[in-house]
Amino acid sequence: MHLVKFSSKPARTPGSIAGADADVLPRLPISAIADVLRRLPDAELNMALRNKLLPIVSMPGLSLFAACSAGAKAAARSFGMRLVAEASPADFHGGVRIAKSAALLNEATHGLARRRPEQSASRRLTGPQAAILLGLASAGLYAGATMPGPIVWSVANLLAGLFFLSLIALRLLCLLPQHNHSPAEPPALSDADLPVYSVLVPLFRETAVLRQLLGALGKLSYPAHKLDIKLILEENDTLTRSAVADIVLPQHFEVIVVPAGLPQTKPRALNYALHFARGSLITIYDAEDIPEPRQLRIAAATFAKRPETTACLQAQLAFYNPNENWLTRQFTIEYATLFGLLLPALASCGLPLPLGGTSNHFRSHILREVGAWDPFNVTEDADLGFRLARAGFRTEAIDSRTYEEANMQLLNWLKQRTRWLKGFLATWLVHMRAPAQLVRELGVSGFWALQACTIGVFISALLHPICTVATAVVLAANADAPEGASLIACGLAGLNIVVLAAGYASAAIAGHKALRQQGITGWMFPLATLPFYWLLMSVAAWMALWQFITAPRYWNKTEHGLSNFQKPSSLSD
């Protein structure tokens, strides 16, 4: 039998769990914690990491445990488990760093790529994909050099039109009446019936919004003993770590420090923290998020009424500074359309949908089953939404909002949008490695939805100004040409104008409808100037293409805490 050496002193250090009741247990030193963790088999190790209950002795008829948090101690007593030692959460994580941090970090970084390489963006292109793209590029160059200009223009025009039409079709889907089989909010669960909920909050250089975030998390209407909030910090982010260390956190908060490594991305941090999440339900909040207080209750009640195949619920994202400047108004129109119309429409039709980066709620065992997040994808949220659908699970939308800070500075917005568009391209390439299999898993309609939401968005943003300028040039060049010579070119140019007008009209109508749902009216100028916002997206798309070639895993950090907008008192911390 393995022996564990205990400290002769009871635990009375800062963060200690002793004193919760009259019993004084011996303190388990960090070295002993590390020793216990080293010898645990995988299943017991996972339970120990999540619950902070270490099996010191495990043999027939006798099980002895060490509790490494106040919650673990209370849980052990409630289940009649025999405790023989205790340790502070800080000592527990010290033991994890010594014994298991390298293995946990390796799994968080490379687990998906190792087990399901075909679903990981750790490779940008497969061999066949590289050959196809090279062949297409060569064919395009050859056609441009040898074929008549009108023919090249016609083919390119028709191909580009497919991407624009896919986005128009998405907007039209938003405008169709959706049949909802269930009420917007299911009957609430009692506190006793609520499951344990883990809230993962990745933070990197977020001191500006830290107090706001903690205030919002503190207002969540959920029993504290069933909340498991993880503040996830990067090892090399000394400023945020220092700021968090100066704050006395409630017992249901825990700080997870992710060891340094590459790629330093949000999904890598989430995967690492997932090892320690004990909730049967899990959600993600970003640093600037202010979720409505009842959101966790709504999600828990919805999951309780849905079949097990409903793996994810996406809440709506909205902004608390929508009217700060022209850019925030455009961003608001875009988010209102996406989260208020498009994602609910896709969910209502049973189609796969790209998740937002925050406020998506998961059944934790399904999240782990599909491999969690891809650390090599900079839009890990969209990718995960499609992987869930391919695995046979459903995602639904719930009627609850999380308020964020709309990007109000152009350079900051460009960096953020560049990352998103780069991620859409990477996500499309990953899921198109086996197109026939993708069709079998998603069906024809699901296959189309994935194309429209990824490569359709990317290529449309990339080509929009080029097609617009080319159409104007063709019309001007053929104005005085013989009728026969200009018929095809002008006909295609006219078709482009129709597609362009339909695109603007559908976007404006969908935006107007989405804004009305949020109680916003009178935004005629922002809706009329949507084309200028699309030109900015094109700049970001070309930046994304360059970054995909030169730095595919680089994470453009979005700065938060820039807004001067005074939040409503109901949302303030």
Side-chain angles (χ1 to χ4, degrees), residues 297-360:
R297 286 184 177 269
I298 293 172
T302 303
F303 274 124
K305 296 295 182 181
R306 298 295 189 271
E308 187 70 12
T309 52
T310 300
C312 179
L313 303 173
Q314 174 68 64
Q316 292 187 33
L317 303 186
F319 295 123
Y320 54 73
N321 62 327
N323 211 23
E324 194 151 358
N325 59 29
W326 178 83
L327 190 60
T328 64
R329 295 183 193 102
Q330 294 295 331
F331 211 173
T332 297
I333 295 170
E334 183 182 6
Y335 258 40
T337 303
L338 175 63
F339 290 98
L341 295 181
L342 177 58
L343 297 189
L346 291 172
S348 177
C349 296
L351 297 174
L353 58 144
L355 298 176
T358 174
S359 305
N360 27 56

Side-chain angles (χ1 to χ4, degrees), residues 132-153:
I132 291 171
L133 288 177
L134 181 61
L136 290 175
S138 300
L141 291 174
Y142 178 79
T146 62
M147 297 179 68
I151 295 178
V152 175
W153 154 256

Side-chain angles (χ1 to χ4, degrees), residues 96 334 524:
V96 170
E334 183 182 6
M524 299 310 296

